[in-house]
Structure formats: structure tokens, C-alpha cells
Amino acid sequence: MPHVDPTADPLARAVTENAGRLYRLAYSYLKNEQDAMDVVQEAACRLLKNRGSVAPDRAFAWLWRVTVNASLDLLRRRRRESVGLPDAAEGREDSYQRLYLLDALQQLDEKSRAIVILRFFEDKPLAEIAGIMGMNLSTVKGRLYASLRVLRRYFEDREAEEWPD
């Protein structure tokens, strides 16, 4: 593949400017650094391959959706392949705050998790999230508020476990 100057090509610029955000998104699903990097690379390659059908102003939304789908595909493949106990090399780092947050996000379905990540980790407005997710604004709002209730219950339960009466 020929070298593409990211400053001259708006699609390549979308990839370089959003690589960190896409990595965090993939990592939130996969919990594995290498897999997350592979998914971001796959999303970038797909964007550049499909450059004729992706408008530059829709590149971020397109990348976001491809990253979520590629992450979910990898998780499905992993589930089919996994037999027995998980490999110790895929364990999480020992950060209790990070563990609680990752565990909490796992309580949500894929679409709700993506909405929460877009809203609170990427500071996207709800209207933009609706466009990225291909959903109605009221659906995004409903999913977000339902997700916040699930997360609140999750953290209340964890607090009750740590600080029993």
C-alpha cells in the first residue's frame, strides 16, 4: 500500500487524529492491548480501502462503527475458540478503579456501552451519537438513561459489598 500523507488526505487525517479514541473504544470491548491495536489498524485499512464510498465528514462515524463491529467480531471468534479457563496472559492490570469501570461497562449491551463511551469518554453530544450509531435521538437518550440506572445499581451493589451495615 503506498504511503498516504495524513495532512493532505482528510480520510487519513481522520484516522491519525482519532487513533487514540478508537484504541480506547476497542480496548473497552477487548481488554487486550494488542487486539485493540489490531482492530484499530483493521478499521483504518477498511476506511482507506473504501475511500470512494466514505465522505470525509462521515469518516469518524464510519471508523467508530467499524471499530465496534470489528471488536464484537473478535469477541465472537474468541468465544467460539475458547475452551476451558482463560489464558492468564489476557488478565487485566491491577488497577482497582479500572477494574470497577471495566466490570461496570460489561453490565451493558454493546450498543448501550458504545453510547456511554461516546457520551462520557469522548464528550460527544447526544445528537452526534445518534448519527454515529444510526439511531433516533430519543432512542439514544432512552438507552443512555437506562444504562446510567444499570451502572448506578452496579456501583451501589459494589459499595454495599465493601461496606456492609
Side-chain angles (χ1 to χ4, degrees), residues 57-74:
D57 62 329
R58 298 293 302 148
F60 177 73
W62 197 93
L63 280 167
W64 191 272
R65 191 169 281 165
V66 169
T67 301
V68 168
N69 290 338
S71 297
L72 294 175
D73 289 345
L74 183 57

Side-chain angles (χ1 to χ4, degrees), residues 2-164:
H3 175 71
V4 177
D5 179 11
T7 59
D9 182 354
L11 296 181
R13 192 170 46 252
V15 171
T16 57
E17 289 175 356
N18 294 296
R21 299 164 110 182
L22 297 170
Y23 169 81
R24 287 188 299 274
L25 172 65
Y27 188 85
S28 73
Y29 283 96
L30 301 168
K31 315 304 177 282
N32 180 293
E33 290 180 22
Q34 191 61 46
D35 288 344
M37 287 189 288
D38 289 346
V39 163
V40 171
Q41 183 176 359
E42 180 180 340
C45 287
R46 284 187 193 177
L47 176 68
L48 296 175
K49 274 185 184 176
N50 294 303
R51 67 180 340 111
S53 62
V54 179
D57 62 329
R58 298 293 302 148
F60 177 73
W62 197 93
L63 280 167
W64 191 272
R65 191 169 281 165
V66 169
T67 301
V68 168
N69 290 338
S71 297
L72 294 175
D73 289 345
L74 183 57
L75 286 174
R76 285 184 203 107
R77 282 195 305 271
R78 247 194 233 158
R79 280 188 207 122
R80 283 193 300 262
E81 294 169 358
S82 70
V83 176
L85 296 174
D87 186 5
E90 292 183 22
R92 296 182 183 143
E93 48 185 81
D94 289 337
S95 168
Y96 294 113
Q97 292 173 339
R98 179 172 278 216
L99 284 173
Y100 280 140
L101 183 56
L102 291 174
D103 286 343
L105 289 173
Q106 294 308 309
Q107 307 304 307
L108 305 173
D109 63 85
E110 290 90 8
K111 288 181 180 180
S112 297
R113 186 179 321 135
I115 290 169
V116 168
I117 290 169
L118 280 167
R119 180 69 188 107
F120 296 107
F121 294 87
E122 300 298 331
D123 294 322
K124 296 289 182 193
L126 294 176
E128 188 174 343
I129 294 170
I132 290 170
M133 299 294 294
M135 295 178 170
N136 185 314
L137 179 59
S138 61
T139 302
V140 170
K141 287 179 182 179
R143 280 184 174 267
L144 178 62
Y145 296 128
S147 298
L148 292 176
R149 281 192 301 274
V150 168
L151 293 173
R152 184 180 306 119
R153 271 193 308 261
Y154 174 84
F155 285 114
E156 287 171 353
D157 290 348
R158 294 296 163 268
E159 187 176 325
E161 289 173 7
E162 289 181 17
W163 304 100

